[in-house]
């Protein structure tokens, strides 16, 4: 039986989907009114979803407390993960959504009502939650009233965030300063893919360090431009960053490992389109029509681009031939080992793209996990292995979670794993270059 709320929302989605194909007729003034109404609906939908998130979390905590098998210290674990799966986001963002929903529901009811009425955006509500996170419940509710009295819905997002930050600081200055000091412990560097075989290297730094880094790059760039360098200022700053971090003389001289993906049919059909062999001569590296490559730590790139990288660097080069099934999955295993180490561990990471195999989670691989647990007789093999983040490995041990192998990846289907949550919902994860981008369904 379909839940009545789900049925009502589904009907609304069908109506909205129809409007995207053929907008209703009307004057331009009517269209502006519709645009404004749709924007208000965004906030109302977010608030309704957050109410369900809070109710679900409360029910799950009560069920976990009643479960005698569960360590009390683990109460609450897996709730954000289930929310993330339902919202098609990572477990980290699922937990973040849960935290925002709880804060708005219990401590910031005025801001929650503004969101529910579509008078502010979900992003602004999240900003208020972040700016007030150092306050206890009583002070937070006081600031909530002040924020609403300041009519932040009439301000630009930037000014509204500034008002929320100032009021939060005035409510407890010492805690605000302490929060800033604590945040410095979270400094880190990250990398994420960008379009066109580019990447974004980011640094989460204390403000004075970030300003100092940018100022040093700009000063060096000014000197290089004055000396007649023909590169753009952006190119000079980017190259200088790479050179100073790596110690290389030239930014392009990186050490690189490229995995050359070779279809199995190339072994049995001498007339099939071959993969590139940069080991022969880097100047003669010519990829086949269907060839692909993987950059360790990044992911798939066109083989032509891989050849350009290998040919353009004076750093160390490695290339590893990776034989794959027709679906794009790697093949090969050693089932007698307990741990996924050595070449086997490397192959699991390459097959899974260096990212957690849990659906919608894009965190770096930290653990190599047995799909069928080793204690239950699961082999240490490429088929039975998957790369996951630490959180994904721990949450599967919670009551009600189940991870199963659907396809081994050795036939026409890609390597496929199905995760079942305590509520009985199932989510699918596929690996391999061919599988990337496929829907998370069991069709």
């Amino acid at each position: 039986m379909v839940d009545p709320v789900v049925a009502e929302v589904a009907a609304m989605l069908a109506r909205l989907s129809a409007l995207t194909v053929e907008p209703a007729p009307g004057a331009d003034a009517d269209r502006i009114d519709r645009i404004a109404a749709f924007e208000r609906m965004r906030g109302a939908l977010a608030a309704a979803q957050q109410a369900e998130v809070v109710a679900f979390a409360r029910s799950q905590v009560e069920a976990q407390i009643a479960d005698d098998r569960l360590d009390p210290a683990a109460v609450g674990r897996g709730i954000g993960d289930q929310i993330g799966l339902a919202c098609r986001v990572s477990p980290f963002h699922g937990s973040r959504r849960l935290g925002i929903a709880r804060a708005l529901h219990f401590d910031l009811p005025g801001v929650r009502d503004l969101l529910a009425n579509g008078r502010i955006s979900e992003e602004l509500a999240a900003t208020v939650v972040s700016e007030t996170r150092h306050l206890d419940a009583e002070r937070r509710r006081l600031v909530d009233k002040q924020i609403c009295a300041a009519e932040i819905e009439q301000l630009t997002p930037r000014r509204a965030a500034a008002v929320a930050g100032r009021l939060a600081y005035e409510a407890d200055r010492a805690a605000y300063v302490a929060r800033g000091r604590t945040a410095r412990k979270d400094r880190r560097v990250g990398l994420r893919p960008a379009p066109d075989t580019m990447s974004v290297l980011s640094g989460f730094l204390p403000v004075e360090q970030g300003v100092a880094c940018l100022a040093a790059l700009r000063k060096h760039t000014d000197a290089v431009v004055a000396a007649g360098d023909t590169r753009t200022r952006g190119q000079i700053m980017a190259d200088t960053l790479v050179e100073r971090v790596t110690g290389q003389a030239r930014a392009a001289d990186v050490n690189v490992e490229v995995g050359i993906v070779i279809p199995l049919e190339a072994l049995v059909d001498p007339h099939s389109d071959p993969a590139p062999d940069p080991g022969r001569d880097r100047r003669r590296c010519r990829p086949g029509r269907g060839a692909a490559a993987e950059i360790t730590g990044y992911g798939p790139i066109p083989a032509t681009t891989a050849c350009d990288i290998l040919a353009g660097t004076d750093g160390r080069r490695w290339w590893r031939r990776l034989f794959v099934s027709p679906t794009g999955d790697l093949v090969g295993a050693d089932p007698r080992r307990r741990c996924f180490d050595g070449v086997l561990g490397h192959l699991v990471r390459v097959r899974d793209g260096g990212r957690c195999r849990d659906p919608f989670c894009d965190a770096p691989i930290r653990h190599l996990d047995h799909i069928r647990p080793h204690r239950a007789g699961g082999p240490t093999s490429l088929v039975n292995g998957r790369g996951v983040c630490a959180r994904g490995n721990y949450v599967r041990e919670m009551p009600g979670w189940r991870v199963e192998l659907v396809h081994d990846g050795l036939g026409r289907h890609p390597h496929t794993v199905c995760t079942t949550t305590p509520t009985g919902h199932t989510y699918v994860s596929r690996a391999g270059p061919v599988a990337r981008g496929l829907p998370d369904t069991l069709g």
Side-chain angles (χ1 to χ4, degrees):
M1 181 177 179
V2 179
D3 177 78
V5 175
V6 173
E8 184 178 355
V9 172
M12 186 186 304
L13 285 173
R15 172 58 176 154
L16 293 174
S17 297
L19 290 175
T20 63
V21 176
E22 186 176 355
D28 285 351
D30 296 329
R31 297 194 185 283
I32 287 294
D33 289 339
R34 294 171 192 168
I35 292 171
F38 287 146
E39 188 63 25
R40 291 194 298 271
M41 184 181 291
R42 288 173 180 256
L45 286 172
Q49 185 186 58
Q50 289 167 357
E52 292 291 347
V53 164
V54 172
F56 171 75
R58 180 187 290 119
S59 177
Q60 285 284 293
V61 167
E62 292 174 352
Q64 290 180 356
I65 291 175
D67 191 338
D68 295 335
R69 301 171 297 168
L70 190 63
D71 184 345
V75 170
R77 183 180 295 171
I79 296 176
D81 301 71
Q82 294 183 71
I83 293 170
L85 288 168
C87 296
R88 305 178 71 85
V89 298
S90 70
F92 171 82
H93 285 97
S95 294
R96 183 173 182 269
R97 291 191 181 193
L98 173 58
I100 291 172
R102 281 173 167 164
L104 291 172
H105 184 82
F106 295 110
D107 300 335
L108 298 165
V111 174
R112 178 201 62 199
D113 291 343
L114 289 175
L115 179 64
N117 293 324
R119 297 168 64 185
I120 63 173
S121 67
E122 184 178 9
E123 292 77 14
L124 181 55
T127 298
V128 173
V129 171
S130 177
E131 291 290 352
T132 59
R133 66 183 183 273
H134 63 287
L135 301 175
D136 58 34
E138 183 178 354
R139 286 190 176 94
R140 214 173 196 180
R141 283 190 284 269
L142 175 62
V143 170
D144 175 61
K145 294 179 181 178
Q146 294 173 334
I147 289 174
C148 294
E151 297 184 333
I152 62 170
E153 69 272 20
Q154 303 296 332
L155 305 177
T156 65
R158 184 183 181 90
R159 290 183 61 192
V163 168
R166 178 177 57 80
L167 293 173
Y169 170 66
E170 294 294 341
D172 192 340
R173 298 185 179 185
Y176 191 96
V177 173
R179 187 186 76 183
R181 290 171 177 166
T182 301
R184 291 169 177 260
K185 299 178 181 178
D186 295 329
R187 57 189 182 276
R188 59 189 179 274
V189 175
L191 180 73
R192 67 180 186 273
D196 304 321
T197 65
M198 299 295 285
S199 62
V200 178
L201 177 68
S202 61
F204 186 66
L205 306 171
V207 60
E208 73 279 3
Q209 294 179 16
V211 170
C213 289
L214 186 60
L217 289 172
R218 284 176 172 171
K219 182 178 180 180
H220 174 77
T221 300
D222 291 339
V224 172
V225 170
D229 197 301
T230 58
R231 291 173 295 172
T232 66
R233 296 182 62 87
Q235 291 171 344
I236 295 172
M237 292 177 68
D239 292 346
T240 303
L241 173 64
V242 174
E243 291 161 4
R244 292 186 175 181
V245 171
T246 63
Q248 298 164 185
R250 291 194 317 130
D253 293 340
V254 293
N255 298 331
V256 60
E257 176 176 330
V258 177
I260 305 299
V261 179
I262 304 176
L264 283 178
E265 54 265 28
L267 299 178
V268 297
D269 182 4
H271 301 293
S272 65
D273 196 28
D277 186 1
R280 295 179 182 175
D281 185 341
R282 65 188 178 119
R283 294 170 298 180
R284 296 171 55 199
C285 177
R286 291 185 173 86
R289 292 184 298 275
E294 297 256 348
I295 292 290
T296 302
Y298 176 85
I301 63 171
T304 303
T305 303
C307 290
D308 291 342
I309 293 173
L310 291 171
T313 178
D314 287 331
R316 294 183 177 180
R317 309 178 199 87
W318 295 268
W319 44 85
R320 187 187 302 269
R321 291 188 173 195
L322 305 173
F323 293 96
V324 297
S325 67
T327 65
D329 270 4
L330 301 174
V331 295
D334 180 1
R336 293 168 295 182
R337 293 185 177 183
R338 171 63 180 87
C339 299
F340 293 93
D341 52 13
V343 174
L344 178 58
H346 178 82
L347 289 177
V348 172
R349 289 184 173 90
V350 171
R351 182 200 64 194
D352 294 346
R355 297 290 173 175
C356 177
R357 278 291 299 281
D358 279 339
F360 314 119
C361 182
D362 200 31
I365 290 176
R366 300 300 183 197
H367 294 180
L368 299 180
D369 181 37
H370 290 76
I371 297 171
R372 181 186 178 192
H374 187 268
R375 62 178 178 273
T380 303
S381 65
L382 187 62
V383 168
N384 194 51
R386 63 170 189 152
V388 292
C389 62
R391 176 173 182 159
N393 195 18
Y394 296 141
V395 77
R396 70 165 297 184
E397 302 299 330
M398 295 288 290
W401 287 81
R402 189 169 71 255
V403 179
E404 299 172 295
L405 180 69
V406 178
H407 295 298
D408 60 15
L410 304 181
R412 68 184 187 89
H413 294 285
H415 188 270
T416 306
V417 177
C418 179
T419 300
T420 304
T421 68
T423 58
H425 290 80
T426 58
Y427 302 89
V428 176
S429 168
R430 296 180 174 91
V434 174
R436 290 190 179 94
L438 290 178
D440 293 307
T441 62
L442 279 173

